[in-house]
Amino acid sequence: MATTEIFLIAMLIILTVPYLVWRVLRTDYYAPLVVVQIVGGILLGPGVLGAIFPGYYAFVFSPAVIGSLNGIAWWAVMLFVWIAGIELELSQVWARRGETATTATLALVTPLAFGSLAAIAMLQLPGWIGPKGTPWQVVLGIGMACAVTALPILVLFMEKLDILRRPLGQRILRYASADDIAIWGVLALILLDWERIGRQLGFLIGFAVATLLIRRLMARIPEGDRWYVSLIWLAACGFAADWAGLHFMVGAFLSGAVLDAKWFDQARMDQFRSSVLMAFMPVFFLSTGLKTQWDVGGVAVFGAAALLLVASVAGKLIGIQLAGRLLKWAPGEATIIGWLLQTKALIMIIFANILLDRSIITGTTFTALLLMAVASTMLTVPMVAPRLKRMAGLVERVG
């Protein structure tokens, strides 16, 4: 068969299998379609179905097909991270900076500490540090992976729970937005390359100057033009960041973070995000699954994933409980907020992909992080929905 035909077979598998599982088994309460797609990517990859049917894997996912899929996946995740950057509620964060700083700090630092301790325990055995990684990078990277909140998935969940546009949902968005800034800042620190420090400083200076120019331009052109110009800006920032050694996804996030959400129609942005998630991100999920490995043994990988899951969930819940006591929240309020903020999925997977691409962690470490992200995300709605029903008045609290 021609490469195009095999590529389309791969696309049929990517789009069909997760959708049928999600629709037929009605998994939406525990696992929305995005989570099923992530799990599908793992199962379709070399570690599971590829190991059982190596002939299928070699035929469908040939190097030429994987190269084509990777190109789509790169652009898809750049678009998704760019949208996440635009939707950061920085003005709201600043308006309620005292409460937000307290909550966001504890929501980040506590799971970061727990995750770092888990990483130190993992590093007592070989197989977790990538060829270009150092122990401090791996410990900090895994710790931060445990602290990440997946803002786009959080938005989907809060829409499902009917709290997104209500005071509670807006509070949670503030906390998650503040942590997003710190997360990408820590990632830039981990990726700092002293051999390319000149390029990285040059990128930051050039980006600051270019940001002033792009903001002036965006404020003066019609909204229709803003969409197209911002995509040019996205590609340019992604290229510049990757050239500087910071990774193209760091550039994608920064390119969105410096743009104002008010420049784009909210309904159109929601539709654009949904379209990217439906049409392009399944390819990214499959490419993520193709990177999973079990080199140190399945038991060790699942053990590490369980350890990281406990560290991430317990760390987030304890941090939010501390914030609730300091800020005198109502009983049960911190538990609901903590469970929502521990949602991982997309952003943590993107974060771990960057560490893997830079050879800081191994494929085995990536697999453990991926399993942790899926499990933590699947826990969210079942843990939050019944609590919200018992505390209906909570959704109107402004903090």
Side-chain angles (χ1 to χ4, degrees), residues 331-366:
E333 189 173 355
T335 301
I336 291 174
I337 294 174
W339 275 109
L340 284 167
L341 287 177
Q342 69 82 40
T343 301
K344 296 286 183 288
L346 276 179
I347 297 301
M348 200 236 69
I349 292 171
I350 292 168
F351 186 91
N353 261 284
I354 296 173
L355 299 180
L356 182 63
D357 288 347
R358 287 289 183 261
S359 298
I360 292 171
I361 61 174
T362 63
T364 304
T365 312
F366 176 79

Side-chain angles (χ1 to χ4, degrees), residues 70-139:
N70 282 341
I72 296 174
W74 293 337
W75 185 240
V77 76
M78 285 182 70
L79 288 171
F80 206 82
V81 172
W82 170 74
I83 295 169
I86 291 176
E87 293 183 330
L88 285 179
E89 296 287 345
L90 298 183
S91 61
Q92 292 298 315
V93 169
W94 181 252
R96 301 185 66 89
R97 51 191 176 275
E99 172 221 353
T100 301
T102 299
T103 307
T105 299
L106 289 169
L108 182 73
V109 172
T110 312
L112 170 61
F114 279 43
S116 297
L117 291 174
I120 292 171
M122 290 168 58
L123 293 187
Q124 303 309 305
L125 297 174
W128 307 104
I129 300 179
K132 296 183 180 179
T134 61
W136 77 266
Q137 288 177 309
V138 176
V139 168

Side-chain angles (χ1 to χ4, degrees), residues 332 335-336 339 381-392 394:
T335 301
I336 291 174
W339 275 109
V381 172
M383 297 302 297
V384 171
R387 287 177 168 83
L388 273 177
K389 287 182 180 179
R390 294 195 300 267
M391 301 181 63
L394 173 65

Side-chain angles (χ1 to χ4, degrees), residues 203-240:
F203 164 75
L204 294 174
I205 295 170
F207 177 78
V209 174
T211 294
L212 296 175
L213 298 176
I214 196 69
R215 286 182 59 81
R216 289 183 181 180
L217 175 63
M218 294 288 281
R220 287 168 171 75
I221 60 178
E223 187 196 352
D225 288 348
R226 288 173 187 161
W227 286 91
Y228 201 89
V229 170
S230 63
L231 292 179
I232 297 173
W233 170 242
L234 165 63
C237 289
F239 165 76

